[in-house]
């Protein structure tokens, strides 16, 4: 069952004051997710979450601030200020050679066209680069994407970049085997291969290999699932799982469940909502499932069964923009409502003796 243990998120207009303990979905007796904490520190939309270690994670968003949290207690440990506009990407980063101390580092990219390297043990700015010609949309260690794709070394020196790709820019970027990267540009996935320096040439280069045109609308999310697959999600709720080696479609889900009590749970129930209610903003995964942030809710797609098996449609007051796994069977999510929420997954044994109601959500 989902519970708010600490109030959070923006209050809906016209609502009376909430109870300190509000239960979400009392009829969902087998919902294994229990909300542990709602964390409030940001002043605008929270878009990104990244795990630093077993005890800490960081959040970032449109207020330009990075907040480092204690994952066990929810305590705010650090607040990192340095960007003048919204943060558009955040990742962990290996220690720089210029750093004497080998502390945990993170990189943040911003709409102010800068990238900052932070020491997240002290909150200190280690390095700042502001030579970008376009807004940095996503980055992955040595790669960044805006209207073009750039490759950087560990000292943040520009090694090479593509020509202008699109006015819409790269919305997501991941690394895959064979020295390749996948970039989401509008409705397309573009496969690039990185050419490393050799004896004949000391220069880096980026070559376009292939374009995948299977999505019907703009791609919002793109993540690696495991060593065999990556997954993409679009504005209109299309989810495609791809083979990471030959880039073919392994599975596709274009309709998510509507857990209606009028229909039998064994039937596949199609979801009919407005496009902004089913936009897929992010994914995370475990050995068996892909967890998707769809609209305001969380959905579970089973990789073996190749279908959605559970959902909680109102995990936040507004769209869920990012989700991530934590140790000890925990999940964190952030939303347009400005809140960060920590969830706990109940053990399967706890659910076995409970009756199965029609239309149950998050039954794993």
């Amino acid at each position: 069952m989902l519970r708010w243990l600490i109030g959070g998120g923006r209050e809906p207009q016209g609502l009376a004051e909430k109870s300190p303990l509000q239960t979400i979905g009392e009829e969902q007796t087998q919902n294994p997710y229990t909300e542990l904490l709602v964390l409030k520190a940001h002043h605008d939309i929270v878009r990104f979450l990244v795990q630093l270690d077993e005890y800490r994670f960081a959040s970032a968003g449109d207020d330009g601030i990075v907040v480092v949290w204690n994952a066990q207690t929810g305590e705010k440990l650090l607040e990192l200020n340095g960007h003048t506009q919204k943060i558009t990407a955040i990742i962990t980063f290996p220690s720089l050679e210029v750093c004497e101390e080998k502390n945990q580092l993170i990189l943040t990219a911003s709409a102010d066209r800068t990238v900052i390297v932070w020491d997240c043990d002290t909150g200190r700015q280690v390095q700042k680069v502001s030579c970008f010609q376009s807004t940095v949309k996503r980055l992955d260690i040595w790669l960044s994407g805006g209207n073009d794709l750039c490759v950087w070394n560990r000292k943040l020196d520009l090694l090479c970049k593509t020509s202008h790709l699109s006015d819409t820019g790269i919305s997501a970027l991941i690394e895959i085997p064979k020295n390749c990267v996948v970039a989401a540009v509008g409705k397309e996935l573009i496969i690039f291969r990185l050419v490393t320096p050799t004896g004949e040439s000391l220069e880096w280069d980026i070559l376009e290999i292939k374009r995948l045109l299977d999505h019907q609308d703009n791609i919002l999310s793109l993540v690696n699932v495991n060593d065999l697959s990556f997954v993409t999600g679009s504005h209109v709720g299309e989810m495609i799982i791809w083979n990471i080696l030959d880039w073919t479609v392994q599975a596709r889900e274009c309709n998510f469940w509507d857990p209606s009590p009028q229909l039998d749970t064994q039937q596949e129930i199609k979801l009919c909502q407005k496009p902004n209610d089913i936009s897929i903003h992010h994914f995370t995964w475990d050995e068996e499932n892909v967890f998707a942030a769809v609209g305001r809710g969380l959905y579970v797609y089973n990789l073996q069964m190749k279908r959605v098996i559970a959902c909680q449609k109102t995990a936040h007051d507004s769209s869920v923009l990012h989700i991530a796994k934590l140790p000890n069977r925990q999940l964190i999510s952030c939303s347009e409502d400005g809140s960060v929420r920590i969830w706990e997954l109940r053990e399967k044994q706890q659910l076995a003796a409970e009756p199965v109601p029609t239309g149950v959500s998050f039954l794993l």
Side-chain angles (χ1 to χ4, degrees), residues 25-245:
E26 287 286 4
E27 73 283 357
Q28 297 178 15
T29 59
Q30 287 198 312
N31 192 334
Y33 283 99
T34 299
E35 184 178 313
L36 299 181
L37 293 171
V38 180
L39 311 178
K40 296 290 289 184
H42 290 278
H43 311 299
D44 209 326
I45 296 172
V46 186
R47 296 187 183 273
F48 303 104
L49 299 165
V50 61
Q51 183 179 344
L52 304 178
D53 50 40
E54 292 186 0
Y55 309 102
R56 297 176 301 167
F57 69 93
S59 59
D62 287 7
D63 55 10
I65 298 171
V66 179
V67 179
V68 179
W69 305 89
N70 184 309
Q72 296 180 330
T73 66
E75 176 189 2
K76 184 174 76 171
L77 302 176
L78 291 171
E79 185 174 297
L80 312 180
N81 293 275
H83 289 295
T84 59
Q85 296 185 41
K86 67 180 182 180
I87 291 173
T88 55
I90 178 172
I91 61 166
T92 57
F93 193 71
S95 297
L96 297 171
E97 297 176 0
V98 296
C99 298
E100 296 181 1
E101 300 179 3
K102 301 300 180 181
N103 292 346
Q104 175 73 59
L105 302 179
I106 54 176
L107 266 73
T108 54
S110 171
D112 62 13
R113 301 184 180 181
T114 65
V115 168
I116 299 178
V117 182
W118 305 89
D119 183 330
C120 54
D121 293 335
T122 65
R124 179 175 64 92
Q125 283 191 28
V126 176
Q127 193 168 356
K128 185 173 183 177
V129 179
S130 55
C131 59
F132 293 99
Q133 299 303 312
S134 62
T135 299
V136 179
K137 294 283 187 169
R138 293 287 188 275
L139 52 85
D140 195 355
I141 302 182
W142 298 296
L143 302 174
S144 67
N147 294 334
D148 44 28
L149 177 63
C150 300
V151 180
W152 310 81
N153 65 16
R154 293 179 62 181
K155 296 180 180 179
L156 299 186
D157 299 321
L158 180 63
L159 301 176
C160 63
K161 68 176 183 177
T162 64
S163 58
H164 185 88
L165 291 175
S166 168
D167 290 336
T168 59
I170 298 173
S171 62
L173 181 67
I174 61 170
E175 295 182 65
I176 60 173
K178 302 179 182 179
N179 233 26
C180 292
V181 296
V182 184
V185 182
K187 302 177 184 179
E188 299 182 336
L189 289 177
I190 306 177
I191 311 293
F192 294 96
R193 176 167 287 124
L194 302 181
V195 180
T196 58
T198 64
E200 299 179 357
S201 174
L202 299 179
E203 299 295 324
W204 286 76
D205 200 2
I206 310 172
L207 302 178
E208 181 178 325
I209 303 300
K210 190 172 184 178
R211 294 196 176 213
L212 307 176
L213 308 175
D214 294 75
H215 275 286
Q216 302 301 312
D217 208 324
N218 289 342
I219 299 168
L220 303 181
S221 50
L222 165 65
V223 299
N224 288 311
V225 174
N226 49 42
D227 294 337
L228 302 176
S229 309
F230 65 91
V231 60
T232 53
S234 78
H235 176 66
V236 293
E238 308 164 292
M239 183 180 74
I240 300 178
I241 297 179
W242 306 83
N243 185 297
I244 205 168
L245 298 177

Side-chain angles (χ1 to χ4, degrees), residues 339-353:
S339 67
V340 177
R341 296 185 172 181
I342 302 179
W343 310 83
E344 184 178 61
L345 178 61
R346 290 168 53 188
E347 295 293 338
K348 294 180 181 178
Q349 302 89 278
Q350 293 178 264
L351 307 177

